[in-house]
Amino acid sequence: MGKIELLAQDVVNQIAAGEVVERPASVVKELIENAIDAGATQITVEIKEAGLKEIKVIDNGVGMTAQDAEVAIARHATSKIRQTDDLNQVATLGFRGEALAAISAVSRFTLLTKTADDVAGTRVIVEGGQIKEVSPVGCPRGTQILVEDLFFNSQPRRKFLKSPRSESGAIADVVTRFALGYPKVAFRYYSGKRLNLSTPGQDDLLEIASIIYGKESRGQFLQISHAEDGIEVQGIISDPGFTRASRYYQSFFVNRRLIRNYLLSRALENAYQGLVTSGHYPCAIIFLTIDPRSTDVNVHPTKSDIRFSDPQLVARILYHGIRDALADYLQQQRMPEFFLGAQAEHPQQKEHPRLQERGLHFQTAQPLIDTFEQPFSERGEMIAERQSLPDKQAFFQKMRLLGQVQGTYIIAEYGEAVFIIDQHAAHERIRYEEITANIKQKKEFFAKNIS
Ligand SMILES: Nc1ncnc2c1ncn2[C@@H]1O[C@H](COP(=O)(O)OP(=O)(O)OP(=O)(O)O)[C@@H](O)[C@H]1O
Ligand SMILES: [Mg+2]
């Protein structure tokens, strides 16, 4: 007898389940995705003991007939694609027909579901991949899935889980990102008896961001809306003064699929270059809409990354969308646009259209030797010249930008003077002056009106 044998089906299923269901948060992600694909407008997630004792996801989507409910938990059973070609333009979040099979293989699993047309609903109970019961049941339209004792039959997986705190944190993270990604859906998230998140489902992204990031964030987001070469970029990004110490507050959705993609994160951060100090990251919720035929969603077992046929193009368009929004913001703040760093990720970005429109061009830095070889007396005059600088606006317009050093220092010349500007410090100074002007105005108001 040979050494090689085909594995038994239950072993195959366990191996496959291990890829899809890494931790409790993976279950929550898959079940939310299913609810969204089912057109739900209300999704409730309840967990007990970091999701290990219980995860319940309730939706008001289209539900399943009795026949579908039983098939749904089989491997490779899906209503979302039919043939290989469909993989080229997946319009739903799910497509592999794996999630319910995987989850029910590693838990005690109960599915309750009903369509609008059926009088009765269906209950399917599965334990470690074995169907235990299929019966009619009274339940509202939609689907409820209860996952108990996750990994009860998979001790190795249990051992590799992190602390309950970090597992519940990962679940909260998943729910939060979906809540941001789907402002039309009302999400409720309970951990134990505690309601941790509730979103109104009124298609107001800023409102959801303020629920999640705190009320004070409300005025600190800029809207982005940009379209180029058939790719759309929408969403909100934080103004440069509102940053965080990690990338945690950045979410990217490509055709509404929540993904992690290094290239997109890089494009976002490059767009802020010079406006935020290193170690600080902007907050952003970005929606990219792109022809699904230019993407491959079938690249990761958890569907959490995506491949683009032209990744550089996508990154560049995202970069442009963000730069435009930042350029508008700087203009509103009356800050010179060259605060948008001169360092460019792509050569094409060097001459950003917004900068060109306003007559600003970055030029290759010239050797500065000439300036510094001037006799001291002349340099003294240059310093004296500072006293008679024209007003701010004209001054910046006449300033010639030479380049940027270390992504931080802008080198510019005006007349015979060379300026080295610490971009971030200057930005902070402008904000400081705004705040003090504001306080002064308020003081005057009170002095005048309350005496
Ligand atoms: N909440 C739900 N409401 C209605 N139908 C559902 C729901 N969850 C699952 N289904 C049905 O069950 C099928 C199987 O679900 P499952 O999550 O296993 O696969 P999928 O979503 O098609 O693909 P993937 O494995 O990529 O998630 C789905 O195709 C869908 O028809
Ligand atoms: Mg699915």
Side-chain angles (χ1 to χ4, degrees):
M1 202 174 116
K3 280 192 291 187
I4 304 174
E5 278 182 52
L6 286 176
L7 291 172
Q9 197 55 45
D10 58 333
V11 185
V12 173
N13 290 352
Q14 283 280 325
I15 293 172
E19 287 206 328
V20 176
V21 189
E22 207 186 318
R23 58 198 301 194
S26 336
V27 172
V28 174
K29 171 191 173 281
E30 293 295 339
L31 298 182
I32 292 179
E33 287 189 350
N34 280 347
I36 289 168
D37 283 345
T41 55
Q42 287 168 16
I43 300 176
T44 301
V45 178
E46 299 172 12
I47 63 155
K48 283 190 186 141
E49 295 180 16
L52 285 169
K53 186 168 178 1
E54 191 178 308
I55 294 171
K56 196 192 265 179
V57 176
I58 308 168
D59 72 55
N60 66 346
V62 293
M64 284 176 263
T65 62
Q67 192 192 359
D68 281 348
E70 202 174 333
V71 185
I73 46 110
R75 281 196 73 200
H76 314 302
T78 183
S79 56
K80 301 173 190 175
I81 60 165
R82 290 279 175 262
Q83 49 210 18
T84 327
D85 257 7
D86 297 341
L87 273 178
N88 296 329
Q89 37 189 326
V90 175
T92 46
L93 299 175
F95 54 87
R96 304 156 311 177
E98 282 278 7
L100 294 189
I103 297 165
S104 60
V106 290
S107 68
R108 300 184 218 280
F109 175 98
T110 308
L111 162 71
L112 292 184
T113 188
K114 190 180 99 63
T115 66
D117 296 338
D118 289 328
V119 182
T122 309
R123 178 167 60 204
V124 180
I125 300 179
V126 187
E127 240 183 67
Q130 305 296 316
I131 296 189
K132 297 283 171 190
E133 183 191 316
V134 181
S135 53
V137 71
C139 62
R141 183 199 119 147
T143 301
Q144 301 185 23
I145 288 175
L146 174 64
V147 176
E148 291 170 290
D149 301 328
L150 186 64
F151 303 129
F152 78 97
N153 54 350
S154 170
Q155 287 311 316
R157 191 47 63 97
R158 269 198 173 240
K159 268 198 290 195
F160 286 104
L161 291 174
K162 300 206 173 112
S163 69
R165 210 170 147 205
S166 90
E167 293 303 334
S168 350
I171 295 175
D173 181 50
V174 167
V175 183
T176 304
R177 288 184 202 271
F178 275 103
L180 288 165
Y182 290 84
K184 285 187 186 160
V185 178
F187 281 89
R188 282 172 158 264
Y189 168 54
Y190 293 88
S191 179
K193 289 210 159 32
R194 223 177 104 188
L195 176 63
N196 281 355
L197 178 71
S198 170
T199 63
Q202 284 162 353
D203 201 15
D204 185 347
L205 179 57
L206 280 173
E207 170 66 15
I208 297 166
S210 80
I211 291 171
I212 291 167
Y213 300 134
K215 287 260 174 291
E216 69 282 2
S217 71
R218 181 128 206 161
Q220 295 193 279
F221 276 108
L222 320 173
Q223 304 262 7
I224 53 170
S225 179
H226 180 79
E228 201 179 320
D229 283 346
I231 297 175
E232 270 180 38
V233 186
Q234 306 281 340
I236 56 175
I237 53 171
S238 58
D239 77 38
F242 179 47
T243 55
R244 290 285 182 263
S246 81
R247 296 190 173 91
Y248 184 76
Y249 298 88
Q250 303 173 0
S251 299
F252 295 93
F253 297 85
V254 175
N255 295 338
R256 293 279 162 171
R257 178 185 304 282
L258 174 64
I259 59 149
R260 283 205 194 108
N261 184 288
Y262 177 67
L263 201 73
L264 298 184
S265 304
R266 268 266 303 275
L268 167 72
E269 282 155 30
N270 283 341
Y272 277 79
Q273 201 172 35
L275 289 173
V276 296
T277 41
S278 74
H280 284 71
Y281 301 91
C283 306
I285 298 123
I286 309 266
F287 300 98
L288 283 163
T289 311
I290 175 167
D291 183 344
R293 283 167 301 187
S294 323
T295 67
D296 184 358
V297 291
N298 190 23
V299 291
H300 197 276
T302 62
K303 301 172 286 184
S304 58
D305 197 3
I306 195 168
R307 236 172 247 154
F308 299 104
S309 58
D310 188 348
Q312 295 304 327
L313 177 76
V314 179
R316 196 159 61 237
I317 291 172
L318 171 61
Y319 176 91
H320 286 170
I322 297 168
R323 292 296 267 195
D324 278 1
L326 289 172
D328 287 343
Y329 166 77
L330 292 182
Q331 208 194 17
Q332 277 164 21
Q333 304 289 305
R334 297 211 191 78
M335 285 164 66
E337 256 178 73
F338 67 72
F339 278 91
L340 288 172
Q343 278 206 343
E345 159 84 341
H346 306 283
Q348 296 90 324
Q349 288 163 8
K350 272 199 170 143
E351 287 298 320
H352 187 267
R354 283 297 179 100
L355 299 178
Q356 278 176 330
E357 260 169 40
R358 292 172 195 174
L360 288 168
H361 297 277
F362 290 110
Q363 308 176 10
T364 321
Q366 302 292 322
L368 299 177
I369 285 292
D370 288 350
T371 318
F372 283 96
E373 270 177 2
Q374 283 166 347
F376 277 111
S377 63
E378 279 182 38
R379 281 214 269 151
E381 273 167 36
M382 271 161 32
I383 292 160
E385 210 184 338
R386 279 211 308 206
Q387 316 305 326
S388 56
L389 287 176
D391 76 89
K392 259 197 241 166
Q393 206 67 23
F395 172 69
F396 282 120
Q397 263 160 19
K398 284 195 188 142
M399 200 175 228
R400 198 165 78 92
L401 302 172
L402 299 175
Q404 193 176 31
V405 184
Q406 293 179 341
T408 301
Y409 300 102
I410 292 170
I411 316 290
E413 66 179 5
Y414 178 87
E416 295 194 324
V418 172
F419 291 82
I420 300 173
I421 303 166
D422 178 335
Q423 202 164 330
H424 187 70
H427 183 202
E428 279 177 352
R429 171 77 200 200
I430 289 170
R431 287 184 76 94
Y432 168 77
E433 281 181 6
E434 268 171 18
I435 292 165
T436 42
N438 213 346
I439 293 171
K440 198 170 155 232
Q441 242 179 23
K442 285 200 177 125
K443 270 194 190 152
E444 280 168 8
F445 173 83
F446 282 117
K448 238 191 257 163
N449 295 287
I450 306 170
S451 50

